[in-house]
C-alpha cells in the first residue's frame, strides 16, 4: 500500500514507520492517523515483522494534532468523526512491541502517540509537552490519563496546566522515557533495541506486552492473576522448552514462535 504521510520500511524483522509531514512538523492530521493505523495493522499481521519502531524527523517526532485541520471543526464533526479515538484504538490493538524513537518535539498528540507506544527512546534534543491548554482545549488522545500514569499527578498537572515542555533529561528522570541517547545515535539505539526484541520468541514478547499493559488497566490482584496465567500458558509452547534447554546446554536459543 502506498502512503503519502508516512514511510514504512521493513528490514531484518523490524518495521520502521517514519512520520513524514516535514512542512507541518509531522502534525497528526486525519490522513496521517489513518495511514499510521493501517500500516501498524499491516506490520502487526506480517509473519516477518517481530518489532516495530515509530519515529519522526530530527526536528519533530510530531508537533501535535494538526491545528489547521481542527481549528474550524464543530462539536458534531469531532464527535461523529472521532478520528483521534479511532487511531488510538487501532494503535492499542497492535500486539507486537512498538518502540517510539523520539527526536525534537513530541507535543500534544505527538507526546500522546509516543506514550501509546510500548516504550520511548529519546534523543537528547527531545522535548515533550501537552500544550493544548494554550489553544483553549485539553489533550484529546490520552494525554491526561497516560502522562499521569507515567509521571504522576503533580508533574502531569504541571505539564497540562502550564503547557510547558519537558526536556529529555527531565523526561528520563520522571520515567516517561526509558533511555536518552545523543541525537545522532537515536535510530541506531532504537534498531539495536528492536533487534534484541526480535531475537526473542514472539509468543513471549507478546505475552510480556499484554501482561505489562494489564498493570494500567486493572487491580494488582487481577494483574498478578493475568500475569500468572500468561506465564503458565507459555509452558505449552515449544519456545519455552527451547529457551530453557538452550540455557542449560549453554547455547543460543533458536525460537520458532511455536
Ligand atoms: N498543527 C499544524 N501545523 C503545525 C503544528 C500543528 N500542531 N505544529 C507546527 N505546525 C506547522 C506550523 O504552522 C508551520 O507551518 P507554516 O510554515 O506553514 O507556517 C510549520 O509547522 C513549522 O512550525 P513553526 O514555524 O511554528 O516552527 P517553530 O520551530 O517556530 O516552532 C513548535 C515549533 C514550538 C513545535 C511550534 O510549531 C508549535 O508550538 N506547534 C504547535 C504545538 C501544539 O500546540 N501542539 C498541540 C496541538 S493540539 C493537540 O495535539 C490536541 C490533541 O491532543 C488531540
Amino acid at each position: 500500500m502506498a502512503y503519502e504521510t508516512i514511510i514504512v520500511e521493513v528490514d531484518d524483522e523490524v518495521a520502521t514507520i517514519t512520520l513524514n509531514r516535514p512542512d507541518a512538523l509531522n502534525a497528526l492530521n486525519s490522513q496521517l492517523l489513518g495511514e499510521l493505523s493501517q500500516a501498524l495493522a499491516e506490520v502487526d499481521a506480517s509473519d516477518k515483522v517481530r518489532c516495530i519502531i515509530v519515529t519522526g524527523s530530527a526536528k519533530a517526532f510530531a508537533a501535535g494534532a494538526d491545528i489547521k485541520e481542527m481549528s474550524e471543526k464543530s462539536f458534531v464533526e469531532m464527535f461523529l468523526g472521532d478520528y483521534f479515538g479511532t487511531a488510538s484504538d487501532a494503535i492499542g490493538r497492535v500486539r507486537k512491541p512498538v518502540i517510539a524513537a523520539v527526536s525534537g518535539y513530541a507535543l500534544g498528540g505527538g507526546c500522546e502517540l509516543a506514550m501509546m507506544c510500548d516504550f520511548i527512546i529519546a534523543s537528547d534534543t527531545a522535548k515533550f509537552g501537552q500544550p493544548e491548554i494554550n489553544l483553549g482545549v485539553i489533550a484529546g488522545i490520552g494525554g491526561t490519563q497516560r502522562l499521569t500514569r507515567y509521571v504522576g499527578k503533580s508533574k502531569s498537572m504541571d505539564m497540562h496546566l502550564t503547557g510547558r515542555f519537558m526536556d529529555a533529561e527531565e523526561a528520563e528522570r520522571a520515567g516517561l522515557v526509558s533511555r536518552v541517547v545523543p541525537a545522532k545515535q537515536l535510530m541506531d539505539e532504537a534498531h539495536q533495541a528492536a533487534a534484541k526484541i526480535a531475537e526473542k520468541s514472539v509468543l513471549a514478547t507478546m505475552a510480556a506486552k499484554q501482561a505489562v499493559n494489564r498493570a494500567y488497566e486493572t487491580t494488582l490482584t487481577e494483574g498478578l492473576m493475568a500475569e500468572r496465567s500468561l506465564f503458565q500458558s507459555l509452558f505449552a509452547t515449544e519456545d519455552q522448552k527451547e529457551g530453557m534447554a538452550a540455557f542449560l546446554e549453554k547455547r543460543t536459543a533458536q525460537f520458532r514462535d511455536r
Side-chain angles (χ1 to χ4, degrees), residues 21-25 27-28 59 63-70 84 105 107-110 112 130-132 134-135 137-143 165:
R21 294 189 69 217
D23 294 345
L25 301 185
L28 308 173
K59 181 166 182 190
D66 191 311
I67 300 167
K68 277 183 201 133
E69 184 180 58
M70 272 184 310
F84 295 122
Y105 296 111
L107 304 177
E112 293 168 300
Q130 298 289 165
E132 293 90 341
N134 298 328
L135 303 168
V137 292
I138 65 168
I141 335 178
F165 301 164

Side-chain angles (χ1 to χ4, degrees), residues 30 33-38 40-41 77-94 116 140-141:
S30 49
L33 288 171
E35 291 186 356
L36 177 63
S37 303
Q38 187 164 343
L40 281 168
E77 285 171 311
M78 292 304 278
F79 185 79
L80 294 180
D82 195 29
Y83 55 95
F84 295 122
T86 305
S88 172
D89 292 347
I91 296 164
R93 277 195 295 275
V94 177
M116 281 183 243
I141 335 178

Side-chain angles (χ1 to χ4, degrees), residues 168-241:
E169 197 189 313
E170 183 181 358
E172 187 181 31
R173 222 172 36 238
L176 177 58
V177 311
S178 73
R179 342 176 174 176
V180 178
V181 294
K184 283 200 179 108
Q185 288 168 27
L186 177 68
M187 291 317 292
D188 282 349
E189 186 82 10
H191 280 287
Q192 276 168 28
K196 266 263 168 267
I197 292 167
E199 287 170 5
K200 324 290 183 208
S201 166
V202 151
L203 299 169
T205 58
M206 282 167 53
K209 171 169 174 164
Q210 200 175 314
V212 173
N213 279 335
R214 292 305 294 161
Y216 275 102
E217 305 288 348
T218 190
T219 62
L220 179 60
T221 303
E222 291 296 324
L224 291 171
M225 284 308 296
E227 179 196 78
R228 197 179 301 174
S229 297
L230 282 163
F231 171 71
Q232 289 164 353
S233 64
L234 288 170
F235 284 75
T237 68
E238 291 175 20
D239 283 350
Q240 172 268 326
K241 300 289 174 290

